[in-house]
Amino acid sequence: MGIDWAGVVALATELPGVEESTWWRTPGLKVGKKGFARLRVEAEGGLVLLCDPQEKAALLASGDPSYYTTPHYDGHPFILIDLDRVDIAQLRELLDAAWWLSAPAKLRRERERAG
């Protein structure tokens, strides 16, 4: 288990329209100019990932130490992920879900049609 930023970028850029960029002056991932993931440089580190609020609650309730939050992210649709602990398959699913939340409608439709 575990992955570094380069690995996160490799997974995310398999998705249509994803570009490596910066977001809040840190390495980030965007689709359609909208950020959906960024590497934290704050003390706790980790990956900030856009996440459905119900999914966030379920991940935090699961007790899996890969997922956490800080008071700054309370009430916001972002989950924090410990890249040293996260299961790669689950991270791939979470990146995909974040993509669906962020991607422009045109890209989402194209992906649905490609099926």
Side-chain angles (χ1 to χ4, degrees), residues 40-96:
R40 293 182 78 227
V41 295
E42 294 85 352
E44 303 89 6
L47 178 73
V48 177
L49 187 64
L50 183 64
C51 186
D52 176 82
Q54 291 177 327
E55 179 73 11
K56 176 182 179 176
L59 289 168
L60 294 172
S62 75
D64 184 333
S66 300
Y67 307 104
Y68 62 103
T69 191
T70 64
H72 177 78
Y73 291 99
D74 288 348
H76 298 284
F78 294 96
I79 189 77
L80 303 179
I81 300 173
D82 184 336
L83 295 177
D84 291 330
R85 296 179 175 197
V86 69
D87 176 78
I88 307 298
Q90 190 162 23
L91 177 61
R92 183 184 302 270
E93 290 177 21
L94 291 169
L95 285 165
D96 187 72

Side-chain angles (χ1 to χ4, degrees), residues 5-6 9-10 12-13 17-23 27-31 36:
W5 175 248
V9 171
T13 54
V18 173
E19 299 177 348
E20 186 175 10
S21 185
T22 57
W23 190 23
L29 296 166
K30 294 182 178 181
V31 60
F36 68 94

